Amino acid sequence: MKKTGAEILWECLVREGVEVVFGYPGGANMPIYDAMLSYPVHHVLVRHEQGGAHMADGYARASGKVGVSMGTSGPGATNLVTGIATAMMDSVPVVFITGQVAAHLIGGDAFQEVDVTGITLPITKHNYLVTRADEIAEVVREAFYIARSGRPGPVLIDICKNAQVEQTEFIYPEEVKLPGYQPVSHAPKDSLDEAVKLIEKAQRPIILCGHGVLMSKAEEALMQFAVKTQTPVASTLLGLGAFPASHELSLGMMGMHGEVHTNLAIQNSDLILAFGMRFDDRVTGTLKTYAPRAKKIHIEIDPSEVHKNVAVDVPLVGDLKTVLSDLIPLVDEYDHEEWKKEINAWKTEADSRSIMNWEDDGKLYVAHLIGDIWKATGGGAIVTTDVGQHQMWTAQYYQLDKPNRWLTSGGAGTMGFGLPAAIGAWFAAKDQEIWAIAGDGGFQMTAAELTTAVQEGANVKVAIMNNSFLGMVRQWQEFFFEKRYSAVNMLAPDFVKLADAHGVPARRVTKREEVDEAIEWARKTKGPVVLEFRVEMEDAVYPMVPAGAALDQMIQRPAKV
Amino acid sequence: MNYTFIALVENRPGVLNRVASLFRRRNFNIESLAVGRTEDPEVSRMTVVVDCPNGDMDAHKIEANLYKLVNVIDVQDVTRQPSVTRDLALIKVKVGPEKRAEVNGLADIFRARIVDVATDSVIVEITGTEDKIEGMIELLRPLGIVEMVRTGQVAMTRGVNDGVRRVPGVNGHRFEDVSELAEMTP
Ligand SMILES: Cc1ncc(C[n+]2csc(CCOP(=O)(O)OP(=O)(O)O)c2C)c(N)n1
Ligand SMILES: [Mg+2]
């Protein structure tokens, strides 16, 4: 049967299991929006395309499915760019669909024409320019396959307006034909054997658990491997939740704001088992002195990540879950008692400085608030963040025992991610409690999406950690620029009134004794809620490895006087 | 050191741009790049010569990154493989009738050809390896080169030899080179 290109698009989206899309209409995608009315897909009208992109991203991270976000040509598409780059850096499967001017106008600077496939080439896993209706079915099928398979990532489809309205025979391609795209799953046996040899020799092994563990759904395999070999597990920012924080082998987060004992363990290890992580500069510190005595085994699906930052001894290129499942039967049981004791001694020493032991001094500290939210929610909420100090404190103190509840922009570090990601996550998990931990700066970047939350009835709780500063930049200025504060002092609107104007119930909290009650009130109140916490303005995130320093050169929290 | 790669890519619009953009954003230095059709209308073939200051480590990076492009089907490194490499140059030399014989003589030695003769210039066409062409250029330079164009290098391995494939498993390739990957640690 003949259908228009726009109808074919929706036919294909429905067949991919798409239930919700986050988008914004305009001239170049009007036929798509017109056809949408006949299909069982819920459309969330966002307030800014960037918000829509982060919602699709949050939806994808929370559900494990492919998110979908749409925009019109020109400014609609360029507004998506930050969201696309955010998804790319964190390997999140999102399909972006943009309208484009008619094919015969391309290259002529037509109204709202922008070279979107050109702009997004380096920030997508793949992209398409569709000029004819009969290309759409195949392209959409491929796009979803590419987005979710291998190392996942965003795929953009730019569809010319003529292709949306032209009619063509709708043939759904049963298979995708991509001769140049065949992700690997198993690693070769001889490499596995080499890995086993290194594991046998190791006295001080450590697992570095990355986002790949979650992407590959390898949490159980990781647990089996760690327990069988009694290897402690450190996590990257994005790997949090893949291994239960409360497990005795868990070392928590590594890197720039990682735990002292965790970074020390990495630096003193004799074998690093890197699982689905990419040795980002935020987790290694300077490479010159990184884990100098450690042999390295790297299990990674993307061969271009192997040897990229850190040369490894045994690369195992493949799907993490598959490779781990192949590896587990080959390794022996160990206990590594000495090593664990050593790490524990470092931990005890570091814990004594913990801010969590501080008594109430009349001020609000973000670390305490995160601990309070963690307690109130039983550690089970989906938590999103913006980027900055509050993000690091949330990573440190919202101790996750379960996967896919921790949505934060790691690789790109995109401020304004928190609220829209939380709204997206709500569509993936409507029965779960969802908290967006926002910075006063980051919140203002995408605050307009509060109305989207209201329009959709999204049950998200926003906690704004208002330190009246671009806190993380201020901290760097304090530490590394002699406290010369430059452009970090930020006037914020009255967040309670702002929320009120959006029809969102809100409260301001300034004292520790009000905290528990406010959190409970937010949890009980249906729909979106805003809590503004007036927190200590000049607190700093500790420990901190200064950029470019060795991983064990951490600035630690000064003892309280 | 310069490495030579042969990449088979899907013959689709924009693929050259994807490859060029990749080299730029990953900071690889292209010395030459030649693209053309193959015996299979759906496949184009690129010969890329790239400066690899870190040797095989860089070569691995290049191959692995090329495979990240969905349209790239196969990548081989033929740098150390017995292979035929050719570059073609057209060189316009400013010579009047009195010096044509000299150019002719040089062309003969290099098995080059004079493909155009004008009143005060000739065009020399030379095919061969980089070295040979460089040699010819050096000798023609004193006579006055006014214009030159080169195709960039193309390469083909001899006989049944294949190049090195450092990215095992990708696109269904076998794992034979995996031990080499492990040995690459500096
Ligand atoms: C879009 C964007 N612009 C700039 C930055 C640089 N940056 C990183 S953290 C930060 C401060 C964030 O301030 P706020 O949201 O108030 O959070 P806080 O650090 O105070 O908790 C800035 C400006 C960024 N990460 N993203
Ligand atoms: Mg702030």
Side-chain angles (χ1 to χ4, degrees):
Chain A
M1 204 179 67
K2 286 211 171 202
K3 289 188 186 300
T4 67
E7 288 167 340
I8 291 173
L9 173 66
W10 289 107
E11 288 282 348
C12 293
L13 292 179
V14 169
R15 279 176 168 76
E16 292 293 344
V18 175
E19 287 163 355
V20 56
V21 301
F22 306 89
Y24 211 96
N29 64 2
M30 286 184 67
I32 295 176
Y33 272 86
D34 182 61
M36 179 175 81
L37 295 173
S38 321
Y39 290 86
V41 176
H42 180 70
H43 180 267
V44 178
L45 179 58
V46 301
R47 295 301 178 275
H48 185 292
E49 287 86 350
Q50 181 188 349
H54 293 328
M55 286 179 208
D57 179 321
Y59 173 86
R61 292 187 205 225
S63 67
K65 295 188 207 156
V66 179
V68 179
S69 168
M70 298 190 164
T72 188
S73 66
T78 54
N79 273 355
L80 287 171
V81 165
T82 301
I84 300 173
T86 304
M88 181 69 174
M89 289 297 274
D90 290 349
S91 308
V92 183
V94 180
V95 169
F96 292 92
I97 299 165
T98 46
Q100 182 55 282
V101 302
H104 73 278
L105 295 175
I106 283 188
D109 298 325
F111 177 64
Q112 293 193 330
E113 183 195 353
V114 159
D115 174 13
V116 176
T117 41
I119 288 175
T120 60
L121 182 59
I123 52 166
T124 49
K125 184 171 172 187
H126 193 55
N127 65 18
Y128 295 91
L129 173 63
V130 175
T131 56
R132 298 194 322 257
D134 62 7
E135 299 169 78
I136 291 177
E138 201 168 294
V139 163
V140 175
R141 188 96 161 83
E142 285 181 14
F144 275 78
Y145 173 65
I146 292 170
R148 76 167 96 80
S149 60
R151 177 181 182 172
V155 178
L156 179 134
I157 311 174
D158 196 28
I159 309 180
C160 290
K161 197 164 178 182
N162 60 295
Q164 299 171 29
V165 292
E166 280 162 17
Q167 298 224 344
T168 187
E169 205 61 42
F170 172 51
I171 306 161
Y172 188 68
E174 288 308 324
E175 276 177 43
V176 286
K177 276 185 278 167
L178 291 166
Y181 182 76
Q182 293 166 29
V184 234
S185 51
H186 291 275
K189 179 73 170 63
D190 52 345
S191 302
L192 288 175
D193 291 340
E194 281 184 54
V196 171
K197 267 186 239 149
L198 291 186
I199 294 166
E200 261 166 25
K201 276 192 227 133
Q203 302 291 317
R204 305 149 79 87
I206 184 167
I207 293 170
L208 308 186
C209 156
H211 199 200
V213 177
L214 297 162
M215 293 269 144
S216 165
K217 301 188 175 33
E219 301 90 348
E220 256 176 52
L222 167 63
M223 175 61 81
Q224 276 180 30
F225 181 91
V227 169
K228 185 169 181 186
T229 59
Q230 284 298 301
T231 308
V233 182
S235 183
T236 67
L237 177 68
L238 289 186
L240 292 171
F243 192 80
S246 59
H247 196 281
E248 54 150 8
L249 286 169
S250 170
L251 299 182
M253 187 165 73
M254 66 180 103
M256 183 173 272
H257 294 295
E259 313 222 16
V260 173
H261 66 285
T262 313
N263 288 344
L264 286 177
I266 292 171
Q267 286 304 82
N268 288 285
S269 67
D270 64 2
L271 177 66
I272 281 180
L273 295 131
F275 292 175
M277 57 83 73
R278 58 187 174 90
F279 295 104
D280 179 84
D281 54 83
R282 296 283 133 136
V283 307
T284 60
T286 176
L287 292 172
K288 283 189 209 116
T289 53
Y290 182 65
R293 287 172 295 279
K295 296 273 180 197
K296 296 170 190 88
I297 298 171
H298 194 183
I299 310 185
E300 169 59 51
I301 190 142
D302 178 353
S304 78
E305 290 298 346
V306 172
H307 300 313
K308 184 179 86 176
N309 297 331
V310 170
V312 297
D313 299 278
V314 180
L316 297 172
V317 175
D319 167 54
L320 183 63
K321 186 176 170 184
T322 313
V323 175
L324 268 185
S325 309
D326 291 345
L327 191 59
I328 290 167
L330 305 180
V331 297
D332 292 331
E333 291 180 23
Y334 302 94
D335 65 20
H336 295 307
E337 280 307 327
E338 285 298 306
W339 174 225
K340 285 187 290 183
K341 255 188 233 148
E342 198 174 346
I343 298 174
N344 255 324
W346 291 324
K347 180 167 161 48
T348 314
E349 193 187 315
D351 278 354
S352 63
R353 293 165 174 255
S354 171
I355 186 173
M356 289 320 218
N357 303 327
W358 288 13
E359 307 247 309
D360 186 0
D361 61 2
K363 293 176 180 166
L364 286 182
Y365 295 95
V366 180
H368 294 167
L369 295 169
I370 300 299
D372 294 338
I373 295 173
W374 179 80
K375 251 182 261 146
T377 56
I382 291 178
V383 178
T384 74
T385 72
D386 286 336
V387 169
Q389 293 184 311
H390 66 282
Q391 175 191 33
M392 291 301 125
W393 278 312
T394 312
Q396 291 174 338
Y397 297 108
Y398 201 93
Q399 303 261 322
L400 288 160
D401 275 348
K402 296 217 174 104
N404 306 328
R405 273 143 213 253
W406 167 239
L407 319 185
T408 195
S409 166
T414 306
M415 287 172 68
F417 179 79
L419 172 61
I423 297 172
W426 180 74
F427 283 94
K430 291 191 179 171
D431 52 346
Q432 277 190 56
E433 188 164 354
I434 299 172
W435 281 77
I437 312 294
D440 50 319
F443 180 75
Q444 292 184 68
M445 284 201 169
T446 51
E449 303 304 340
L450 264 188
T451 321
T452 313
V454 174
Q455 188 165 355
E456 297 293 334
N459 194 14
V460 298
K461 313 303 168 192
V462 184
I464 304 172
M465 301 298 170
N466 185 1
N467 51 11
S468 306
F469 269 120
L470 296 175
M472 189 56 94
V473 180
R474 185 208 60 75
Q475 176 172 343
W476 282 50
Q477 289 174 352
E478 177 190 335
F479 285 14
F480 313 118
F481 293 85
E482 295 154 351
K483 219 169 178 177
R484 286 156 54 87
Y485 289 168
S486 173
V488 289
N489 228 301
M490 190 162 207
L491 180 71
D494 181 325
F495 287 120
V496 173
K497 278 195 187 147
L498 182 81
D500 190 49
H502 286 83
V504 173
R507 280 197 192 176
R508 177 173 300 117
V509 181
T510 54
K511 291 192 196 72
R512 190 78 204 266
E513 62 261 24
E514 304 165 349
V515 173
D516 287 341
E517 203 269 317
I519 293 172
E520 272 325 303
W521 169 78
R523 299 184 70 211
K524 278 201 220 97
T525 309
K526 265 192 135 175
V529 174
V530 167
L531 291 180
E532 180 202 0
F533 294 98
R534 284 291 178 89
V535 300
E536 163 61 15
M537 289 172 69
E538 296 185 80
D539 195 10
V541 182
Y542 297 100
M544 175 171 194
V545 181
L551 193 56
D552 45 12
Q553 260 146 44
M554 289 161 277
I555 307 173
Q556 297 199 50
R557 189 176 276 279
K560 192 161 190 197
V561 277
Chain B
M1 171 181 173
N2 281 352
Y3 276 60
T4 306
F5 300 91
I6 295 174
L8 299 182
V9 302
E10 283 184 83
N11 180 12
R12 287 172 185 251
V15 176
L16 176 60
N17 181 34
R18 285 178 199 276
V19 172
S21 158
L22 170 88
F23 278 86
R24 177 191 53 77
R25 76 178 176 268
R26 294 288 178 190
N27 234 340
F28 301 134
N29 230 331
I30 301 184
E31 296 288 335
S32 97
L33 192 161
V35 207
R37 293 188 210 157
T38 63
E39 69 284 3
D40 179 346
E42 294 188 358
V43 176
S44 304
R45 176 164 168 145
M46 300 185 177
T47 308
V48 198
V49 182
V50 194
D51 180 29
C52 295
N54 300 310
D56 286 3
M57 250 356 207
D58 285 347
H60 169 257
K61 253 181 208 164
I62 288 165
E63 285 174 47
N65 273 287
L66 279 169
Y67 281 119
K68 278 177 81 102
L69 301 178
V70 166
N71 306 119
V72 171
I73 302 164
D74 181 49
V75 186
Q76 306 174 44
D77 169 7
V78 300
T79 311
R80 297 193 196 95
Q81 255 25 56
S83 50
V84 180
T85 59
R86 290 289 181 271
D87 194 347
L88 183 147
L90 295 176
I91 308 164
K92 190 180 281 177
V93 191
K94 193 171 154 54
V95 286
E98 69 288 352
K99 287 223 166 171
R100 266 184 217 142
E102 189 175 334
V103 176
N104 237 331
L106 285 174
D108 268 353
I109 300 169
F110 281 88
R111 298 209 184 149
R113 294 193 299 154
I114 309 268
V115 290
D116 182 60
V117 179
T119 40
D120 55 0
S121 70
V122 297
I123 298 178
V124 181
E125 177 201 303
I126 174 167
T127 312
T129 60
E130 287 262 318
D131 287 354
K132 176 173 157 188
I133 293 177
E134 294 296 334
M136 172 103 220
I137 292 168
E138 277 323 300
L139 292 173
L140 289 177
R141 202 181 293 282
L143 296 169
I145 295 175
V146 280
E147 221 182 312
M148 183 171 86
V149 60
R150 291 173 70 163
T151 56
Q153 195 172 301
V154 292
M156 188 176 278
T157 52
R158 291 179 190 275
V160 291
N161 287 304
D162 253 1
V164 177
R165 292 187 176 86
R166 289 190 182 75
V167 187
V170 171
N171 294 346
H173 294 317
R174 285 180 307 121
F175 293 112
E176 50 215 346
D177 296 313
V178 77
S179 41
E180 183 180 341
L181 186 67
E183 277 157 23
M184 249 160 26
T185 316

